Amino acid sequence: MDKTFYCLLGALTATAAATVAVISTYDAPAPQQDGDSSARVRMIWQLRTRANSLIESQNYPVALLVLNRLSRLEPGNASFQRLLVRVLYETGRNDDAILICRKLLAGNPDNATSRNNLGVLLTASGSFEAGIKELQKAHSLAPDNEFIDYNLSRAYQALGNLPEDRICFARASRNRKQMLTVAPPDLIAVPRAEWRAPEKSQEDPAP
């Protein structure tokens, strides 16, 4: 009985150590499937939760490691790819993020988040008109999303179109949801606390 007990204890210890190693070593190669689908699903859930927490705390370099691992575990998972786009943008890798956005939209052209993200990325790269076109598509897909409207406002401001800038900002302000202060983690957006109203032009009448 003692021998059986110690064998079982050793097996449990080895399993626990392997699980910790998988979760903590995000940039390691993905393990081969061993048929234990529940353990794999649990690991993916833990990594996804970790990625969201890292994005929320703006620890983007580590979030990138986690998401690269998730992408290897689930290469066809669009939600992981959208999170990866957000983190690539935050770490200045706009060209890589644009490529992933285009692939996502090739598979699902009606995804408002991917349209928004591509629009922001193109605008940040200096392609203002192309970026606005994508943001307009995102708005048509999600007309009540205040973060997309604010992104449109900023894009028009960058283009120098102040009338449209004001229209989009006013629409974003009307669409505000009282329970939210930041956008979902996979949406490239400005937290509402950091919004700035468009500047008044000299032609605006005095109050």
Side-chain angles (χ1 to χ4, degrees), residues 148-183:
I148 293 175
D149 283 328
Y150 186 70
N151 283 338
L152 258 175
S153 171
R154 296 176 73 206
Y156 277 119
Q157 185 181 60
L159 187 63
N161 189 335
L162 296 184
E164 288 296 331
D165 174 16
R166 295 191 190 95
I167 290 171
C168 293
F169 182 82
R171 190 169 62 210
S173 299
R174 287 195 302 270
N175 287 339
R176 285 185 174 191
K177 298 179 177 63
Q178 296 302 318
M179 297 303 293
L180 294 177
T181 56
V182 295

Side-chain angles (χ1 to χ4, degrees), residues 15 31 34 37 41 58 67 75-76 84 97 112 143 147 149 165 175 198 207:
T15 300
D34 59 2
S37 59
V41 169
Q58 299 183 1
L67 289 167
L84 183 58
F147 297 104
D149 283 328
D165 174 16
N175 287 339

Side-chain angles (χ1 to χ4, degrees), residues 62-105:
V62 179
L64 184 59
L65 293 176
V66 179
L67 289 167
N68 281 335
R69 175 157 180 77
L70 279 170
S71 296
R72 290 194 294 271
L73 288 167
E74 293 280 326
N77 191 310
S79 67
F80 297 162
Q81 294 296 303
R82 286 193 297 270
L83 285 170
L84 183 58
V85 166
R86 163 79 189 282
V87 172
L88 288 171
Y89 166 77
E90 299 290 357
T91 54
R93 294 174 56 181
N94 287 6
D95 290 343
D96 293 335
I98 288 172
L99 287 175
I100 296 174
C101 272
R102 294 196 186 282
K103 290 179 181 178
L104 287 168
L105 288 168

Side-chain angles (χ1 to χ4, degrees), residues 1-10:
M1 180 176 293
D2 289 345
K3 183 177 180 181
T4 302
F5 171 80
Y6 285 114
C7 288
L8 179 59
L9 180 62

